[in-house]
Amino acid sequence: MVDVPVSCRSREYPLFKEKDVKILVTAKRVEDPESKIKVKPDGSDIVREGLKYKINPFDEIGVEEGLRLVAKHGGEVVVVSIGGKEVQEQLRHALAMGAQRAVWVNHTGALDQMGVAGLLQKVVEKEKPDLVVLGKQSIDDDQNQVGQYLAEYLGWGQATFASKVESLESEQEKSKTPALQVGADGKTVQVVREVDNGLATLECQLPAVVTTDLRLNLPRYASLPGIMKAKSKPIEELTPEKLGVDVTPKVQVVKLASPPERKAGIKVPDVATLVDKLRNEAKVV
Amino acid sequence: MSTGINTYKTDLREIFFTLFEQFGFDQVVGQEPFEAWGPEEAKAVLQEGYRFSKEVLGPLNATGDREGCRLENGQVFTPKGFKEAWQKLYEQGFKSVSVSPEHGGQGGPMMMQVLLEEMLSGANSAFNMYPGLAFGAAELLAECGTAEQKKLYVERMLNGTWGGTMCLTEPHAGSDVGASKTVAKKNADGTYSIRGTKIFISGGDHDMAGNVIHLVLARIDGATPGTKGLSLFIVPKLRVGADGSSSGSNDVSVGSIEHKMGINGSATCVLNFGENDGCLGELVGGVEHAGMSQMFRMMNGARIAVGIQGLALASAAYFNALDYAKDRKQGAHFTKFKDPTAPRVSIIEHPDVRRMLLDLKAHVEGIRALLVKLAMHTDKARMMAGKDDEQAAYHRGQVELLTPLVKAYSSDQAFRLCAQAIQVYGGAGYCQDYPVEQYTRDSKIFSIYEGTNHIQAMDLVGRKMGQAGGAHFQQFMADVGGFVETHREHPVYGEAVRQLAAAQEGIMSSAMAVLGWSQDAAKVPLIPLSANRFLQMMSELAVGWLLLDAAVIAEKAAEKVSESSPDKAFYEGKKWSALWFARNVLPNVEQAARMMALEDSSPVEIPVEAFGGN
C-alpha cells in the first residue's frame, strides 16, 4: 500500500480505486412468499389476481453484493428484468437500493430457462459488464438453471451458490464489505461457494457469472432518499426482437397441481411401538 | 439484530385500500407541494417501512419491555438493540418522509406518513417514542425558531444526531400546566439561567444520540402567573457550540426514571434543571411569554401521534388475535356442542370469538380511516394554501375538529380493543408468551399523556365545536349529511345509513343541549360531565360514516374482480365491518344522546363523604 495524501481521498470512493467494476444484476418479479398461492382449477396456471409480488430474494442478494462491490471499487450496477411493464416495480426497487440504471426486456409471453438465458446473454453482450451476479434460483419455480446456461452461452466462467465464511451477524457483514473478492488487477474474482460438505473457494477469470446463495449478505432496505431518487433513474426498454432472440419455449408447462395434503399423524403409545412402526411399516431403521 | 422474535403484523392490502381507494392519494400527489411523489413511491415507502418494522423494530419489542431502561451514574441506558435500531431508522430516512427538503427531508404527504408511523409504532411503541419526540421538537423549532436556531438544531434533530423532548409537566403542574414553577432568569449575554424540576419526561435522556435537546416551559422572572406567563426555552443536555459540537454538561440531570405499567423501553424521566446554577437555555424564536402557543404547535402533532399509537397497537393486537383464533383448536362447533365426539374446531368457529374479532376489525379499520382522513385534510390545506382560501380554511377546520377525536377515541379504544384481543386468546393471552398482554399495558398511557382524554373532550366541546362560529362542526355535519342523502336508499347499506342518520340527529340535539348548558350557570357542570360522552358520540359517528363510505367504495370495486380473486374476500370484509359498526355501535350514539338529555349531574351532587371509604 502506498500512502496517499489525505487531500486525494474522496468520500465516495476508497483510498485506492483499484478499478471501476461494472456489474449486471437481475431482478426477477416473483410471487411474495407471504401470499397464498392457489392453482387454477384447470391446472393451467396459478391464480394471479390479487397476488403480491416482490423481487426474487436471491436476486436482491445479488443487487446488494453488486452495490457493495461498487462502493469498494467504484463503477456501476446495472439491473435487468424481463417481463411486462409490471416488472418496472422490481427494477425501481433495485434502483431505490442504489443501482445506477436499469434495463427492461419487455416480454409478456411464456419463457423457459433457455429463453431467459438467451435474453440475458444479449443484454450482457450489449452492456459488457465485468461480472454478472444473479440469484442461484428464483423462488417461484426454483429451477436453478439460468446462471449456468448464461455462463455457457457466454463462454464465461461461473461460480454458483456464492456464500461466505463470516456469519450474517459478523462485523464484516455490518460494515457492508463485499464477500466477492475482485483481484487487485481487476482480472479475477474469488468466490466462496456453498457446497454439500462445507464451503469451497474458487477463483474465476473475469468476466464471469456468479449466482448467489442465501448467506452471502443481508440486503439493505431501500432508503427513503433512495426511493425518491429511483424515480429519475433511467430504465432502458428492450424487446426480444430488438435483441434478436427467439424465445419460443422449448420447455412447456403441461399442468400445475398443488402438492398432496399432508395426512394427519398418529400417536403411538410407547417407544417400542414407534421403533416397530419405523422398522416394519416405514422401513427406515 | 436477532435479539427477539417479531410479533408485529399488519395487512398492506388494507392500508393501500385506505390510502388509495378510499382517500384518493393519487389526487393529492403529483402537484405542488407534493410534485415529487406518486403512488409508486408511497407503496415503496410503506412496503419497506413494513419490512423495517418487522425485521428491525419488532424483534426489540418484547425484549425492550422485559429489560426496560437503566439509570446509571446519571445516564439513561436504553434496552439492548435500541441504539442500533436508532441508527438504522435514520439511515433509512423514515423519519424525514414529511419533513421539508429545506431540513433534509422528502416533503411527502402526511397521508402516507401517518401510515408509516402506524407501522413503526405498532412494531415497537416504546422505541418509537424517542424519534417521535425528537421529531416533534424539531418541527416546533422549524416553525418557531430564529434563523440561527433552525440552522443549528432542526436538521440534527431530524437526522438522529440529537434527540429531543418536550418538558411541560411538573410535580404540581400536569393538566394544570399554568401552575409551572420552573423559572428562567435573563443573563447579560441574552441567555437564560433555568432552574426547576420537570417530571414524566418521555425520552428525557438516552444513549442513542450525541445530545438531547429539551424544550422547556419556564416562567421568566416577574412574568404573570398562569399559562400566559410561560416562555419556551431550548435547553440542551450538553452545551452546544455554534458549529454543532456538543461538549460539557449543561447542568441537566436525571433524578430518576419511572417504573411503569407499560412502554418500559421508553425512559420516563424526572429532570432537574440548574441544580448547580449552571443550566443555560435560549428563548425559542427570541420571543418571551409565547411558550404555550409555541408548545401547542408541537402538541397538535403529538396528539395525532398518540392517536396513531393507539391505532397501531389495536391493529397489531387484532392481527395477532386473528392468527391465534384461526390456529387454536378448542371445543366443538356450537351446533354440536353436546356431542363429546364431535371434532374440535378452530376457535374462530365460535360465534363469540368471531364477535370479538369483527368488533376489533371494524374499529381498527374505522379508526385508521379517521386518521387518514385527518391527514388528507392536512395535506389538502397545504395544497390549497394561497390558491383557494375558502377550501384551505375548510380543510384546516376539519383538522382542528378531528384532532381531539383521533387522539382520544383511538387511545380509549386501543386499551379496550387490546384487552378484547386478550379475551380472544383466553388464558394464553394473559401470559407473556403472546404479545397482546404487552400491547394492553403499553396502550394504557395513550389516554393519559399529551393531554388526558378529558382534556381532549373539553377541547372538542369548549373550543373546537364553536371555532369559526361553529363552521368546522357544521361543515363536518354537512359532509356526513351529504353521504346520508346519497345513500339513504342504498340496496345493501340503506338501513345502516339510516342508522347513521339517526346517530347524527342524536348528536345534533346533544350539541344544542351543550350550547344551552354553557349559557346557564346552574348547568355548566354538565359540560365536563358530558364532554367525554360527547367526544365518543362524535367519534362513533365519524367512524361509522367512514366505514360505510369504505363499504360503498368496496362494493363498486368488487364488481370488477373475479370470484377467485383474494380481493373479493377483502372487499366483502369491508361490508361486514360497516354493517357490524352500524348495527352494534351506532345505536349507542342514539342511546347516549338520550342519556345526555337526562341532564344527570349526580357525580357533582353526591357529597364527597357519601362516596364512602374512610
Side-chain angles (χ1 to χ4, degrees):
Chain A
M1 291 272 267
V2 182
D3 250 338
V4 173
V6 173
S7 60
C8 294
R9 297 179 189 176
S10 102
R11 265 188 72 197
E12 252 101 76
Y13 297 117
L15 200 57
F16 253 124
K17 209 169 110 181
E18 290 147 348
K19 178 192 176 295
D20 280 2
V21 286
K22 182 168 176 177
I23 298 166
L24 190 79
V25 296
T26 49
K28 186 178 180 184
R29 178 179 172 88
V30 298
E31 291 77 27
D32 188 323
E34 286 182 13
S35 305
K36 287 205 177 67
I37 309 285
K38 279 191 284 187
V39 176
K40 281 188 180 171
D42 65 358
S44 62
D45 196 0
I46 58 169
V47 179
R48 297 195 178 269
E49 213 178 353
L51 273 187
K52 281 182 231 151
Y53 289 86
K54 62 183 293 183
I55 180 173
N56 175 32
F58 289 103
D59 284 345
E60 197 175 26
I61 291 169
V63 176
E64 175 66 35
E65 197 61 21
L67 294 173
R68 292 181 184 191
L69 282 165
V70 164
K72 182 174 172 190
H73 300 280
E76 180 183 42
V77 175
V78 181
V79 57
V80 57
S81 190
I82 305 169
K85 80 172 186 315
E86 63 281 1
V87 304
Q88 290 191 20
E89 212 180 295
Q90 280 61 48
L91 290 174
R92 292 275 176 221
H93 178 80
L95 293 173
M97 286 173 73
Q100 276 79 5
R101 59 192 177 85
V103 174
W104 164 37
V105 182
N106 185 354
H107 175 75
T108 47
L111 273 178
D112 62 12
Q113 53 274 34
M114 282 81 84
V116 174
L119 291 169
L120 290 179
Q121 179 198 358
K122 293 297 166 188
V123 173
V124 169
E125 285 170 6
K126 187 169 167 294
E127 290 285 340
K128 301 186 175 56
D130 300 295
L131 195 60
V132 179
V133 185
L134 31 66
K136 69 168 182 179
Q137 65 199 56
S138 56
I139 60 159
D140 45 8
D141 45 23
D142 287 335
Q143 298 248 359
N144 191 343
Q145 298 190 46
V146 168
Q148 293 88 330
Y149 271 106
L150 176 62
E152 173 64 19
Y153 288 177
L154 290 164
W156 290 7
Q158 58 173 293
T160 52
F161 317 149
S163 186
K164 66 181 170 194
V165 176
E166 296 84 0
S167 87
L168 293 176
E169 310 276 313
S170 66
E171 280 310 309
Q172 187 270 355
E173 175 58 34
K174 280 181 188 153
S175 62
K176 298 196 192 302
T177 309
L180 303 181
Q181 301 287 331
V182 174
D185 56 0
K187 289 185 177 157
T188 58
V189 63
Q190 217 178 67
V191 183
V192 176
R193 300 184 61 227
E194 204 158 304
V195 292
D196 284 348
N197 52 357
L199 296 169
T201 306
L202 283 189
E203 190 169 273
C204 283
Q205 295 293 315
L206 288 177
V209 174
V210 171
T211 74
T212 60
D213 217 316
L214 263 189
R215 276 164 291 275
L216 183 64
N217 61 47
L218 288 172
R220 69 195 62 193
Y221 302 97
S223 74
L224 187 66
I227 289 167
M228 299 309 287
K229 273 186 215 146
K231 199 175 195 173
S232 51
K233 289 181 178 174
I235 297 182
E236 181 189 2
E237 183 182 344
L238 297 170
T239 58
E241 295 73 46
K242 272 192 215 162
L243 291 166
V245 182
D246 176 11
V247 292
T248 315
K250 297 178 184 67
V251 177
Q252 289 194 344
V253 176
V254 180
K255 192 171 166 34
L256 294 175
S258 299
E261 271 197 41
R262 253 182 84 181
K263 284 182 198 150
I266 53 161
K267 275 188 187 160
V268 292
D270 50 38
V271 175
T273 324
L274 175 67
V275 172
D276 176 64
K277 281 191 181 291
L278 288 174
R279 179 163 295 154
N280 299 319
E281 278 181 37
K283 298 194 189 334
V284 290
V285 288
Chain B
M1 204 161 37
S2 50
T3 40
I5 296 163
N6 172 59
T7 56
Y8 181 63
K9 199 179 171 194
T10 190
D11 182 359
L12 286 176
R13 182 68 189 84
E14 157 67 18
I15 283 176
F16 289 166
F17 174 86
T18 310
L19 186 60
F20 297 112
E21 294 173 71
Q22 188 170 10
F23 290 105
F25 183 76
D26 301 36
Q27 285 128 48
V28 171
V29 291
Q31 53 190 308
E32 231 186 328
F34 308 117
E35 59 272 30
W37 287 87
E40 292 315 311
E41 284 72 31
K43 277 186 191 161
V45 166
L46 293 171
Q47 278 161 351
E48 287 298 277
Y50 185 30
R51 209 176 125 197
F52 184 86
S53 299
K54 284 189 294 183
E55 293 174 7
V56 178
L57 301 185
L60 302 175
N61 193 41
T63 55
D65 174 60
R66 311 298 188 267
E67 186 186 332
C69 295
R70 287 176 292 127
L71 176 63
E72 277 174 23
N73 302 321
Q75 168 72 46
V76 171
F77 293 90
T78 53
K80 189 164 171 267
F82 272 36
K83 194 171 177 177
E84 209 176 340
W86 171 277
Q87 279 161 0
K88 286 188 181 178
L89 178 75
Y90 285 105
E91 265 171 37
Q92 293 315 122
F94 284 143
K95 275 290 163 186
S96 55
V97 171
S98 62
V99 171
S100 103
E102 187 194 342
H103 301 299
Q106 305 296 333
M110 188 179 173
M111 289 172 79
M112 176 187 62
Q113 187 222 356
V114 295
L115 291 167
L116 175 63
E117 284 294 326
E118 184 200 328
M119 295 193 272
L120 300 175
S121 277
N124 198 326
S125 284
F127 171 83
N128 207 35
M129 293 286 290
Y130 300 96
L133 284 153
F135 180 89
E139 290 265 278
L140 187 153
L141 289 178
E143 222 174 305
C144 307
T146 63
E148 292 79 26
Q149 288 167 349
K150 288 181 194 177
K151 190 159 166 279
L152 184 56
Y153 294 104
V154 176
E155 193 161 342
R156 290 184 176 91
M157 293 168 75
L158 288 171
N159 68 19
T161 310
W162 294 339
T165 72
M166 53 200 287
C167 301
L168 286 80
T169 303
E170 296 181 14
H172 300 288
S175 294
D176 180 18
V177 67
S180 179
K181 288 196 173 85
T182 299
V183 290
K185 207 175 198 172
K186 193 164 185 175
N187 300 316
D189 64 353
T191 62
Y192 290 79
S193 290
I194 311 291
R195 198 181 161 95
T197 296
K198 296 283 178 181
I199 64 166
F200 293 162
I201 306 307
S202 298
D205 189 38
H206 60 82
D207 56 346
M208 300 184 285
N211 202 347
V212 182
I213 312 301
H214 305 289
L215 297 183
V216 181
L217 270 185
R219 198 179 311 278
I220 297 174
D221 252 3
T224 53
T227 53
K228 290 199 170 82
L230 294 173
S231 303
L232 190 60
F233 296 88
I234 303 170
V235 185
K237 171 187 174 184
L238 303 172
R239 296 262 171 93
V240 169
D243 60 349
S245 59
S246 304
S247 59
S249 160
N250 190 30
D251 195 13
V252 179
S253 68
V254 184
S256 62
I257 53 177
E258 306 296 341
H259 301 277
K260 310 188 294 290
M261 173 180 178
I263 56 165
N264 289 317
S266 167
T268 307
C269 301
V270 174
L271 290 181
N272 296 316
F273 297 90
E275 279 180 313
N276 306 302
D277 295 322
C279 178
L280 295 182
E282 53 177 308
L283 199 53
V284 172
V287 194
E288 294 183 347
H289 317 311
M292 277 314 283
S293 66
Q294 290 172 334
M295 196 54 111
F296 260 101
R297 313 251 179 172
M298 182 171 179
M299 290 285 283
N300 277 337
R303 286 174 176 180
I304 295 165
V306 176
I308 296 174
Q309 290 184 308
L311 166 65
L313 290 193
S315 176
Y318 168 57
F319 285 113
N320 273 280
L322 179 63
D323 275 359
Y324 184 82
K326 285 178 181 171
D327 191 50
R328 167 76 175 163
K329 289 200 167 43
Q330 178 143 175
H333 195 268
F334 70 99
T335 53
K336 297 179 185 152
F337 74 100
K338 282 186 177 161
D339 174 5
T341 64
R344 307 293 96 179
V345 296
S346 299
I347 61 171
I348 198 170
E349 297 299 332
H350 300 320
D352 186 55
V353 172
R354 288 172 98 109
R355 173 189 65 78
M356 292 189 279
L357 288 171
L358 184 54
D359 187 60
L360 275 153
K361 173 175 153 60
H363 278 87
V364 164
E365 291 173 3
I367 292 168
R368 183 178 291 113
L370 183 61
L371 170 70
V372 175
K373 179 175 159 62
L374 183 155
M376 178 198 74
H377 285 303
T378 310
D379 290 334
K380 289 194 170 168
R382 274 186 68 193
M383 281 167 66
M384 303 292 174
K387 290 182 194 128
D388 184 337
D389 290 344
E390 196 180 317
Q391 275 295 305
Y394 158 72
H395 289 297
R396 269 198 305 274
Q398 295 307 295
V399 173
E400 291 284 340
L401 185 73
L402 297 181
T403 298
L405 306 191
V406 163
K407 195 280 180 184
Y409 187 65
S410 173
S411 57
D412 275 341
Q413 291 300 313
F415 185 60
R416 182 183 76 80
L417 294 168
C418 288
Q420 185 160 301
I422 295 180
Q423 198 72 18
V424 170
Y425 282 75
Y430 193 65
C431 301
Q432 296 200 339
D433 303 338
Y434 292 98
V436 283
E437 64 84 28
Q438 186 191 341
Y439 294 153
T440 310
R441 288 186 288 109
D442 285 354
S443 68
K444 184 55 224 165
I445 189 62
F446 303 157
S447 66
I448 301 170
Y449 62 21
E450 300 307 344
T452 65
N453 283 0
H454 181 60
I455 286 188
Q456 306 303 321
M458 290 305 285
D459 178 47
L460 174 69
V461 175
R463 274 184 73 223
K464 302 296 173 67
M465 297 277 292
Q467 242 173 10
H472 308 333
F473 175 67
Q474 283 157 14
Q475 280 163 335
F476 173 81
M477 285 308 207
D479 289 347
V480 178
F483 179 84
V484 168
E485 281 319 303
T486 311
H487 299 289
R488 188 181 274 281
E489 302 304 327
H490 192 285
V492 182
Y493 300 112
E495 191 198 327
V497 170
R498 292 190 289 276
Q499 190 64 60
L500 183 74
Q504 189 181 15
E505 279 166 30
I507 287 178
M508 288 308 284
S509 63
S510 296
M512 292 309 291
V514 173
L515 195 65
W517 300 339
S518 69
Q519 286 150 4
D520 178 348
K523 290 186 174 175
V524 164
L526 289 170
I527 297 176
L529 283 176
S530 308
N532 294 38
R533 177 172 287 156
F534 188 77
L535 182 140
Q536 182 168 349
M537 292 162 70
M538 277 286 286
S539 305
E540 286 171 345
L541 177 73
V543 165
W545 165 38
L546 297 177
L547 284 172
L548 281 165
D549 178 52
V552 170
I553 292 166
E555 194 197 25
K556 285 205 190 90
E559 288 167 10
K560 295 188 193 111
V561 298
S562 77
E563 284 303 320
S564 58
S565 164
D567 269 354
K568 203 79 179 176
F570 173 79
Y571 289 132
E572 168 104 18
K574 287 281 157 197
K575 174 173 107 180
W576 294 108
S577 292
L579 290 180
W580 164 266
F581 203 90
R583 292 168 181 172
N584 297 276
V585 181
L586 289 180
N588 293 342
V589 179
E590 276 182 281
Q591 186 56 33
R594 278 197 284 279
M595 285 192 270
M596 284 189 55
L598 294 177
E599 301 193 342
D600 175 42
S601 58
S602 35
V604 291
E605 286 175 42
I606 175 178
V608 172
E609 309 80 63
F611 275 99
N614 297 311

